Structures are given as structure tokens and as C-alpha cells.
């Protein structure tokens, strides 16, 4: 009986652990250029506390992303270089946004 009680308690603990502790919830939207066209990129429920290089603009010779719109529940910082290098620009959670003058290649969600 003791083993069964321990198993039930352990299972209850696992079920109640938050699953979003390592991710921001929501959408991060940005614009990048490809072949003379503006394209909208999106990150869905991005990983938090981890530098994310934007594949669309990380390669040498590509122009940086711009016009970020933060629709996640986490503050985000955008960086002009890959690996979150350079001077970051912060955007508040849920409604932070910036115009085309904010250029970036990587992001870090602070949740």
C-alpha cells in the first residue's frame, strides 16, 4: 500500500508541474526581405532564456529582420547579430513592437 501511495503522489507532482516554464506563450512576428519581397516570419511559443537565431536572416549576405511585434507573454530582446550579440532592443510582453529601423538577427525571450 505504501508503494501505491508513493506512486500516486509522484504522479500528482508530475501532472502539476508547469509545462510552459521553458517557453513563452504566443507569437513573435517579424519581417524580412527575400528576392525583393517583404515576408512575414513567425515564432510560435518560442523557447525562453535561450538565444534564438532567426534562420531566415542568420546567413552572411542576408539583410536583417525588422519590424518586430511581440505577441507572447514574455518580454523579448532583439539583437542585431547572431548569438544575441550587439546592443539589444527590448519589447514588452503582449504588445511590444518596433518599426523598420530596428534590425535584428537573433532574439531572447526573458520568461
Amino acid at each position: 500500500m505504501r508503494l501505491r501511495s508513493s506512486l500516486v503522489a509522484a504522479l500528482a507532482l508530475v501532472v502539476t508541474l508547469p509545462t510552459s516554464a521553458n517557453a513563452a506563450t504566443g507569437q513573435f512576428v517579424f519581417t524580412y526581405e527575400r528576392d525583393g519581397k517583404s515576408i512575414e516570419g513567425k515564432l510560435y511559443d518560442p523557447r525562453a532564456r535561450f538565444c534564438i537565431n532567426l534562420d531566415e536572416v542568420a546567413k552572411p549576405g542576408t539583410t536583417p529582420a525588422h519590424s518586430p511585434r511581440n505577441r507572447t507573454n514574455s518580454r523579448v530582446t532583439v539583437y542585431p547579430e547572431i548569438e544575441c550579440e550587439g546592443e539589444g532592443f527590448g519589447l514588452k510582453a503582449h504588445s511590444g513592437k518596433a518599426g523598420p529601423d530596428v534590425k535584428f538577427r537573433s532574439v531572447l525571450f526573458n520568461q
Side-chain angles (χ1 to χ4, degrees):
M1 191 62 146
R2 197 178 266 167
L3 178 61
R4 189 167 142 183
S5 298
S6 297
L7 184 59
V8 169
L11 183 58
L13 179 62
V14 169
V15 170
T16 60
L17 289 175
T19 57
S20 63
N22 293 326
T25 302
Q27 203 179 69
F28 177 76
V29 183
F30 57 96
T31 302
Y32 65 99
E33 308 301 319
R34 184 75 73 227
D35 299 324
K37 296 179 184 176
S38 291
I39 301 170
E40 188 174 86
K42 295 179 182 175
L43 298 175
Y44 297 95
D45 299 334
R47 185 173 172 190
R49 296 184 300 274
F50 177 81
C51 183
I52 301 170
N53 294 324
L54 300 175
D55 291 337
E56 298 87 347
V57 297
K59 293 185 176 114
T62 59
T63 57
H66 60 86
S67 305
R69 293 168 310 282
N70 186 17
R71 298 174 183 155
T72 72
N73 65 340
S74 174
R75 180 171 168 78
V76 64
T77 304
V78 299
Y79 293 90
E81 301 300 329
I82 62 169
E83 304 302 331
C84 295
E85 295 287 328
E87 187 173 337
F89 183 86
L91 300 166
K92 66 183 179 177
H94 303 291
S95 61
K97 62 182 178 178
D101 56 324
V102 174
K103 310 280 190 204
F104 57 99
R105 295 181 188 276
S106 58
V107 298
L108 177 66
F109 292 85
N110 304 330
Q111 172 136 346

